[in-house]
Amino acid sequence: MFTPQAVKQPVRKARLPSTPPSYLLPPAERRGDHWAGFRAPWSFRNSQCVCLDPSSQGTMLPRWELSFYLLASLGFHLYSFYEVYKASREHEEELDRQFALEIGTLFGGLKKDPTDFEWSFWMEWGKQRLLRFLFGHVAVSQLANVLARKHRPWILGAYGIWASWCVLGAHGTAIIFLHTLISFCVAQFRSLFLTWLCSLLLLSTLRLQDVEEVKRGWYQTENEYYLLQFTLTVRCLYYTSFSLEFCWQEVPCGSSFYSFPWLVAYVFYYPVFHNGPILSFPEFIAKMQQQEYCSLKSNLSAFAVGLGRLLCYWWLAELMVHLMYMHAIYSSASLLRAVSCWTLGGLALAHVLFFYLKYLVLFGVPALLMRLDGLTPPPLPRCVSTMFSFTGMWRYFDVGLHDFLISTICFKDKEGELTCSTSWGLTGAQSIFVEFEPDER
């Protein structure tokens, strides 16, 4: 079976294509297309991996052998899940006493494993408030598209500020606005070092105990505080993206897009406000400036299809936590020692596949709304069962975050060539930035 060789990183001077991608705004020197000239030594055609390097001698396996491996993989998945299901049923009473399993209403009264904090947290917030404001964004966006298309970015930005005020309160909205203003002021120095330092300092305030106590005093429940922390984390990536793009602009910057009103519209764009995914600033302004009109009928049909797909993902995720108490078993050391090896393997597999389904839902909802607004969201996570390396997990699971970090390492020089940052200080700042970021995922 042909196995693609590891893709080499682009060299320091790699010529970029002469024609930039269509989704980027002029001038052609805008960042974001630095990987466009990079060509992998293989491609997928008709669901088959085809080698593009004539020096490679790899060939495809026969179709019958590929089918055999597919059936074997499905068999391993199903049998390991069955072992986890049996262990869940055998130890249900013990797990119920230890973790207080919830009685579900979807699958005939089956109990539900509530110990995955992130899933329970976002599902609870979705039922309380977030879904209402997301549907409100859809209504406001469609009305603005028909009645005031030129002013749509400002209308959506104003709606995002109002929704943030309703969900996070005046204090939460004010601190997000303050972080955004500080980042914009520091960006005026056009220093990458100062931009990264500012972002790191703002992000570090999320872990200062005194600041945490002040924030907790603003809310009545811990979930409200955690929602503010998650939102501040994602917003930090957004205003950092704007500040870096501003620093890379030539002096004087003749574009009116690199202004504080555009930054506010970008930071408070509500579908991605609380949990992402990450959308770069050039892509945001490029799509927001398009004046192409898309009929409401076609928008609604695409919305209905996407919503049906998301409901299927949500149903599968809920089915997993009702049939397999994988998170509860994983939290019990005594049960982990008692179960079989097949069950342990099934627990690991169920964890990663549930994580995949969870982010299909959490990223799929904002992606659906972004398409209605004419934006191009990052691709949804790729199924972990089709990956064979952690490199693939990094590249194809959270594509928006991956592209953001890659775009801060490599950039175009004045001659239009790809240049990789050789500043150890900047690279170290990026690493510390990821380390400081609260682990919400």
Side-chain angles (χ1 to χ4, degrees):
M1 180 177 179
F2 168 68
T3 302
Q5 298 179 351
V7 180
K8 296 181 179 180
Q9 294 296 327
V11 296
R12 179 177 174 80
K13 295 291 185 179
R15 183 69 61 178
L16 287 172
S18 58
T19 304
S22 59
Y23 61 83
L24 295 178
L25 286 174
E29 287 76 18
R30 182 178 301 283
R31 293 172 45 80
D33 58 344
H34 40 263
W35 291 106
F38 177 67
R39 188 180 184 188
W42 72 86
S43 67
F44 287 91
R45 298 173 183 169
N46 299 325
S47 301
Q48 293 184 350
C49 185
V50 180
C51 177
L52 300 179
D53 187 358
S55 62
S56 301
Q57 302 297 326
T59 57
M60 288 295 299
L61 289 173
R63 188 175 296 275
W64 68 267
E65 190 171 352
L66 291 175
S67 302
F68 171 77
Y69 292 145
L70 176 62
L71 292 175
S73 176
L74 290 176
F76 290 145
H77 279 66
L78 294 176
Y79 183 74
S80 59
F81 287 166
Y82 174 68
E83 289 293 326
V84 178
Y85 170 77
K86 285 200 309 180
S88 301
R89 300 278 79 79
E90 292 173 2
H91 303 280
E92 182 175 356
E93 294 183 0
E94 179 182 350
L95 293 172
D96 192 12
R97 290 193 302 269
Q98 190 172 357
F99 299 102
L101 301 178
E102 298 178 355
I103 299 178
T105 58
L106 290 176
F107 304 99
L110 287 176
K111 292 185 178 180
K112 173 184 176 180
D113 182 358
T115 53
D116 184 79
F117 168 78
E118 193 174 17
W119 181 253
S120 301
F121 177 85
W122 289 114
M123 292 302 103
E124 186 65 25
W125 268 108
K127 289 186 294 185
Q128 287 182 359
R129 297 183 184 178
L130 297 187
L131 281 181
R132 289 182 294 169
F133 288 107
L134 289 174
F135 280 113
H137 172 90
V138 173
V140 171
S141 177
Q142 293 303 313
L143 288 175
N145 194 40
V146 175
L147 302 177
R149 199 176 312 161
K150 291 183 179 180
H151 304 289
R152 188 170 61 122
W154 321 122
I155 296 174
L156 295 182
Y159 177 84
I161 294 175
W162 175 77
S164 172
W165 190 291
C166 295
V167 176
L168 298 175
H171 294 94
T173 304
I175 196 171
I176 295 172
F177 191 87
L178 178 61
H179 282 200
T180 303
L181 179 60
I182 293 174
S183 180
F184 178 79
C185 294
V186 172
Q188 305 308 304
F189 293 99
R190 296 180 179 274
S191 169
L192 295 177
F193 174 77
L194 290 179
T195 295
W196 279 113
L197 180 62
C198 173
S199 296
L200 287 172
L201 291 176
L202 291 176
L203 195 61
S204 66
T205 60
L206 274 65
R207 294 192 174 185
L208 295 178
Q209 185 174 1
D210 293 338
V211 178
E212 288 182 353
E213 293 300 324
V214 172
K215 292 177 185 176
R216 282 189 166 92
W218 296 343
Y219 303 107
Q220 297 179 351
T221 64
E222 283 288 295
N223 278 353
E224 292 176 301
Y225 162 75
Y226 286 132
L227 183 64
L228 175 62
Q229 293 289 85
F230 293 162
T231 305
L232 284 171
T233 302
V234 179
R235 293 308 93 200
C236 183
L237 293 173
Y238 273 71
Y239 56 67
T240 301
S241 174
F242 171 89
S243 298
L244 293 174
E245 294 291 341
F246 185 84
C247 292
W248 286 315
Q249 294 299 304
E250 295 182 358
V251 181
C253 181
S255 175
S256 61
F257 300 122
Y258 293 90
S259 60
F260 188 69
W262 270 107
L263 173 60
V264 172
Y266 174 58
V267 169
F268 283 92
Y269 179 67
Y270 196 70
V272 297
F273 186 70
H274 296 291
N275 196 42
I278 310 303
L279 181 69
S280 69
F281 182 71
E283 293 177 353
F284 176 80
I285 58 177
K287 296 299 183 181
M288 278 297 179
Q289 282 298 108
Q290 288 182 353
Q291 298 299 320
E292 297 179 1
Y293 177 76
C294 187
S295 66
L296 182 60
K297 182 178 180 181
S298 60
N299 275 345
L300 289 178
S301 61
F303 178 79
V305 173
L307 183 60
R309 188 180 294 114
L310 284 174
L311 288 175
C312 289
Y313 297 150
W314 171 79
W315 184 84
L316 286 174
E318 285 290 329
L319 182 64
M320 290 186 70
V321 295
H322 279 81
L323 294 181
M324 298 180 289
Y325 306 145
M326 47 197 169
H327 302 97
I329 295 176
Y330 181 78
S331 302
S332 176
S334 59
L335 287 182
L336 288 177
R337 288 191 292 265
V339 297
S340 65
C341 293
W342 270 105
T343 305
L344 291 176
L347 284 171
L349 187 59
H351 265 83
V352 294
L353 287 179
F354 178 78
F355 189 78
Y356 163 68
L357 286 173
K358 175 169 62 177
Y359 272 91
L360 280 181
V361 176
L362 297 182
F363 282 172
V365 172
L368 180 61
L369 304 188
M370 291 165 71
R371 291 191 182 94
L372 287 178
D373 293 337
L375 301 176
T376 303
L380 292 179
R382 179 176 161 184
C383 181
V384 293
S385 294
T386 65
M387 300 182 192
F388 58 89
S389 69
F390 282 100
T391 302
M393 285 284 294
W394 166 242
R395 288 181 178 176
Y396 302 117
F397 198 86
D398 193 341
V399 180
L401 180 59
H402 172 264
D403 290 347
F404 167 79
L405 294 177
I406 290 297
S407 68
T408 61
I409 297 174
C410 297
F411 57 93
K412 290 175 69 173
D413 57 19
K414 294 181 180 180
E415 299 177 359
E417 295 182 341
L418 182 67
T419 301
C420 293
S421 173
T422 56
S423 171
W424 289 101
L426 294 180
T427 304
Q430 294 155 0
S431 302
I432 298 173
F433 184 87
V434 177
E435 182 65 25
F436 260 102
E437 192 175 20
D439 185 14
E440 62 172 300
R441 294 184 173 87

